[in-house]
Every structure is written in structure tokens, then in C-alpha cells.
């Protein structure tokens, strides 16, 4: 782990250990400093892969001694990764939900939030990298349809952002990478 990330983690843990004295009421003002550090912590973890982000997040949650602080940190990390603009990071939110909230080790803010989180996990779990896509029927612009996946054929659904330079480069490389595959 990089030195800056280690320093940030240490500062965050020190603050998390000091917060129980302040957390007599679960007032959001008591957690403002922690939230600021959590945001910086997540930004520092941006270059890590999802497995490392999950490992670091679990370590941070487990390091909180006070139950309110632990719940607050877990919810903040879940929310961060759930609402991430970086494609694929929702996997961290799904895994945090599975490990902390679905098992009832920690509670969500409310029953509504619990239902909302469960719907998010159910909807997004099947779209994680490496998972099979659900079967669907796509209608062609000139009539007819295509059922995906087709029996005995490899199916590729490629979603990309036209304004993304990395996506545009991948689109150009795709035909040569797939030249030997029967679609």
C-alpha cells in the first residue's frame, strides 16, 4: 500500500476511535470530519482493483470499535461505491452489502433503505464482470429479432460511452480481437 494511503488510513482510524465519545447522539455533525476523511480515503483507493478496495473497506469497518461509527463507516462506503461513476465499482457495494447488511451484522438506516439496497444488489449482481447476462430478445431496426444468447454461438454485448477515448480505442481493436470467433 502506498505511503500516502497508509497515512490517510491511520488518520482515519485515529478519528474513528475518537468518535465514540462524540457519538452520544447519531447527529450527522459528529460524523462530518469522518465523512471528509472517508471521501479522501476512497479517492486514494481509486487506482486499486475491486478486491483490494473491498479488503481495505472491510478492514476499516472492522477497525471501528463503536457500533454507531462502524455502521456509519459501512453505510458511507456502501453509498460511495453504490453511486460511483467508475464502471465496475458497484461490485464493492454489492460485496459490502452481502458481508455486512444482508447478514444483519450491521443495520441499514431504515427498512426503506434496506429494501432499496436489496433491490440494488439483486438488479446489479447479474451485471458484474464474469456473470452470465440474462436471456433477452432484441428487435432489429428493419424488422425481425435476435435472441441473446443464441444456442451454440458466442454472444458479445459491448456497451461503451462514445465520448470516452479509451472506449473508442477498444471499439477499434474489437474486430481484430474477435476475428476468430463465430458470432
Amino acid at each position: 500500500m502506498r505511503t500516502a494511503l497508509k497515512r490517510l488510513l491511520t488518520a482515519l482510524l485515529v478519528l474513528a476511535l475518537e468518535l465514540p465519545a462524540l457519538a452520544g447522539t447519531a447527529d450527522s455533525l459528529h460524523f462530518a470530519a469522518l465523512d471528509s476523511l472517508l471521501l479522501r480515503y476512497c479517492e486514494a483507493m481509486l487506482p486499486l482493483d475491486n478486491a483490494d478496495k473491498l479488503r481495505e473497506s472491510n478492514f476499516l469497518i472492522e477497525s471501528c470499535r463503536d457500533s454507531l461509527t462502524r455502521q456509519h463507516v459501512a453505510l458511507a462506503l456502501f453509498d460511495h461505491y453504490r453511486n460511483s461513476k467508475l464502471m465496475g465499482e458497484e461490485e464493492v457495494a454489492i460485496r459490502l452489502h452481502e458481508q455486512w447488511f444482508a447478514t444483519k451484522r450491521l443495520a441499514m438506516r431504515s427498512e426503506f433503505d434496506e429494501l432499496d439496497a436489496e433491490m440494488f444488489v439483486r438488479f446489479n449482481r447479474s451485471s458484474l464482470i464474469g456473470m452470465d447476462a440474462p436471456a433477452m430478445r432484441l428487435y432489429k431496426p428493419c424488422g425481425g429479432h435476435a435472441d441473446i444468447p443464441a444456442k451454440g454461438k458466442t454472444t458479445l454485448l459491448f456497451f461503451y460511452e462514445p465520448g470516452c477515448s479509451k472506449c473508442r480505442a477498444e471499439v477499434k481493436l474489437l474486430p481484430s480481437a474477435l476475428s476468430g470467433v463465430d458470432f
Side-chain angles (χ1 to χ4, degrees):
M1 193 182 318
R2 295 187 340 248
T3 306
L5 186 58
K6 280 185 182 177
R7 274 187 264 127
L8 184 57
L9 176 59
T10 303
L12 188 58
L13 290 176
V14 167
L15 181 60
L17 294 174
E18 292 174 1
L19 274 175
L22 301 173
T25 62
D27 188 317
S28 62
L29 290 175
H30 293 145
F31 291 115
L34 179 59
D35 290 339
S36 173
L37 281 173
L38 280 170
L39 181 60
R40 290 177 49 207
Y41 179 73
C42 290
E43 289 170 356
M45 289 197 307
L46 195 58
L48 302 178
D49 65 22
N50 286 346
D52 288 335
K53 289 174 187 173
L54 180 62
R55 192 171 17 264
E56 292 296 328
S57 296
N58 281 326
F59 173 74
L60 186 59
I61 294 166
E62 289 168 356
S63 298
C64 299
R65 294 182 183 177
D66 176 68
S67 61
L68 286 176
T69 305
R70 178 177 286 186
Q71 179 189 32
H72 182 84
V73 168
L75 287 168
L77 291 169
F78 173 77
D79 290 342
H80 172 80
Y81 288 113
R82 175 187 180 167
N83 300 315
S84 175
K85 290 182 169 67
L86 183 60
M87 182 186 290
E89 275 195 337
E90 68 276 3
E91 178 184 10
V92 180
I94 290 169
R95 302 298 178 223
L96 287 172
H97 182 270
E98 291 170 346
Q99 293 173 8
W100 294 98
F101 302 110
T103 61
K104 306 293 184 202
R105 290 173 68 188
L106 293 174
M108 297 299 289
R109 291 176 195 91
S110 67
E111 288 180 19
F112 176 77
D113 285 342
E114 185 175 345
L115 178 61
D116 188 44
E118 287 174 13
M119 288 183 354
F120 166 80
V121 168
R122 284 185 189 155
F123 180 79
N124 288 285
R125 183 181 286 130
S126 64
S127 67
L128 295 177
I129 295 171
M131 300 296 290
D132 289 337
M136 64 180 90
R137 175 166 280 179
L138 302 176
Y139 294 93
K140 298 177 181 180
C142 297
H145 66 273
D147 291 323
I148 296 178
K151 284 194 173 206
K153 292 206 176 225
T154 301
T155 304
L156 174 71
L157 298 176
F158 185 66
F159 299 92
Y160 66 95
E161 168 60 43
C164 170
S165 59
K166 184 173 182 347
C167 294
R168 286 195 308 267
E170 295 289 336
V171 167
K172 290 181 181 179
L173 295 173
L174 198 55
S176 63
L178 301 174
S179 62
V181 181
D182 179 28
F183 286 92

